[in-house]
Amino acid sequence: MNWVLLIIAGLFEVAFASCLGKAKEATGTDVYWWYAGFFVALTISMVLLIKATQTLPIGTAYAVWTGIGAVGTVLMGIFFFKDPASFWRVFFLFTLIGSIIGLKVVSQSV
């Protein structure tokens, strides 16, 4: 169950990073709504990360959490913010995904 919480926490990390990107593009009062979304997603992400690390090793949990956030944020950037999708960027994205899966596989926790 804590792995599920950790994955959800990572997805909320993607959400708060995406809110920062949208706030940068927004104008007027919309900026404040995106910053509010940032703080809500940040809070949820942190609470779920704290809960997951109660039983998972902190090093593994943190690496997986940041990995999910990094991969998700790069994908959001490519698909929604028109970031470049060069060969090397995609290559290293796949190596990061492989590393996240590897950490899960070799983890001794349930």
Side-chain angles (χ1 to χ4, degrees):
M1 181 61 178
N2 284 318
W3 281 105
V4 173
L5 293 178
L6 186 61
I7 291 168
I8 295 169
L11 295 175
F12 273 100
E13 185 182 5
V14 175
F16 74 70
S18 298
C19 285
L20 284 178
K22 292 300 284 184
K24 188 172 85 171
E25 296 177 349
T27 58
T29 58
D30 287 346
V31 172
Y32 299 111
W33 287 108
W34 287 112
Y35 282 133
F38 164 79
F39 284 113
V40 169
L42 175 68
T43 302
I44 293 169
S45 182
M46 290 297 151
V47 167
L48 292 174
L49 177 62
I50 290 167
K51 179 68 177 158
T53 57
Q54 290 176 348
T55 59
L56 299 175
I58 187 70
T60 302
Y62 185 76
V64 170
W65 177 74
T66 57
I68 292 169
V71 168
T73 302
V74 168
L75 291 175
M76 289 292 289
I78 290 170
F79 292 117
F80 296 103
F81 296 104
K82 298 179 180 52
D83 289 350
S86 67
F87 169 80
W88 287 112
R89 195 162 187 204
V90 173
F91 172 79
F92 286 116
L93 187 63
F94 277 105
T95 61
L96 182 56
I97 293 168
S99 297
I100 294 167
I101 292 169
L103 281 171
K104 167 63 172 108
V105 169
V106 300
S107 177
Q108 298 299 321
S109 297
V110 177

